[in-house]
């Protein structure tokens, strides 16, 4: 028999967080892709805090008003 438990070591209410899949690592920096005011996708460097299985705390680099891209689907990759 096996037992699985989850232990919460720290909880931070009211923080800015994005899905784990939205944070990219490039050259030792962490970045997210956002859609800017003109509709163009750009990368923005962020500083992260706590990370769990689903979300990453963003300590600096985003205001909370941005549209963050979680994944990009390549055009023409349908296979039919």
């Amino acid at each position: 028999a096996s037992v699985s438990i989850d232990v919460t070591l720290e909880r931070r209410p009211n923080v800015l967080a994005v899905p784990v899949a939205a944070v990219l690592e490039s050259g030792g920096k962490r970045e997210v892709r956002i859609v800017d005011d003109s509709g163009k996708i750009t990368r923005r460097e962020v500083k992260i805090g706590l990370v769990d299985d689903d979300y990453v705390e963003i300590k600096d680099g985003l205001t909370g008003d941005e549209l963050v891209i979680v994944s990009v689907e390549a055009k023409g990759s349908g296979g039919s």
Side-chain angles (χ1 to χ4, degrees), residues 17-79:
V18 298
V20 170
V23 179
L24 310 170
E25 190 165 345
S26 176
K29 298 178 182 178
R30 301 242 169 53
E31 300 175 327
V32 295
R33 291 170 296 205
I34 63 167
V35 179
D36 67 17
D37 293 336
S38 66
K40 182 180 168 190
I41 296 173
T42 60
R43 288 181 178 232
R44 171 119 17 115
E45 185 176 349
V46 294
K47 293 193 184 336
I48 66 168
L50 292 177
V51 178
D52 69 15
D53 292 337
D54 301 312
Y55 291 95
V56 177
E57 176 188 7
I58 303 297
K59 296 184 115 191
D60 191 35
L62 294 176
T63 65
D65 293 327
E66 298 89 350
L67 179 59
V68 175
I69 297 174
V70 176
S71 66
V72 175
E73 188 174 308
K75 290 183 178 181
S77 63

